Amino acid sequence: MKKILTVVSATIAAVVIAVLFAACSANYAGTYKFSSMKMDMGGAIVEVEAGKPFQGVTITEDYVVLEIKDDETWVMTTKMSSSSTSQEGTWTTNSEGIVLKASDGSEIIGKLSGNVLTLSESEDGMTMTINLKK
């Protein structure tokens, strides 16, 4: 009887641990839309928010739409004025967050906090941070 109780207790403990790890892991899949952007160009800072005018143009949440799929692929569409561009790739996760790998070989890391995915990229003295809401 004692062996059976030990096996049952170990099984319950394993299930509880598995549930806790699943609850702690982020669920990245879904559609994210533009919320805000901040660019730091060597000290010159530009901030843009969805729904607010920027240089005479109101940027909507559809300015950037990122769809992260369960099959570990993603598609990002950027709409500027009358044109739009699309980029796609695969994704994985690491200790820093989600890693979006584009079909051209470039990578960007995103961090999820609640329903906001923050993508940051630095290049040639310019840092750009984009917040997308699920």
Side-chain angles (χ1 to χ4, degrees), residues 49-68:
E49 289 185 51
K52 295 188 177 179
F54 174 73
Q55 296 184 348
V57 177
T58 300
I59 306 294
T60 69
E61 64 180 10
D62 290 326
Y63 171 64
V64 177
V65 177
L66 172 62
E67 183 182 2
I68 299 175

Side-chain angles (χ1 to χ4, degrees), residues 11 23 46 68 70-71 77 81 91 102 112 119 130:
T11 304
V46 176
I68 299 175
D70 284 323
D71 67 357
T77 306
S81 302
W91 64 270
L112 187 62
L119 305 174
I130 299 175

Side-chain angles (χ1 to χ4, degrees), residues 6 9 16 26 35 41 47 58 72 75 77 83 86 88-89 91 93 96 113 118-119 123-124 126 132:
T6 302
S9 296
V16 168
S35 174
M41 299 168 285
E47 295 185 63
T58 300
E72 296 183 354
V75 176
T77 306
S83 67
S86 216
E88 60 186 33
W91 64 270
T93 59
E96 296 180 51
S113 178
T118 301
L119 305 174
E123 188 176 310
D124 299 329
M126 182 178 101
L132 306 168

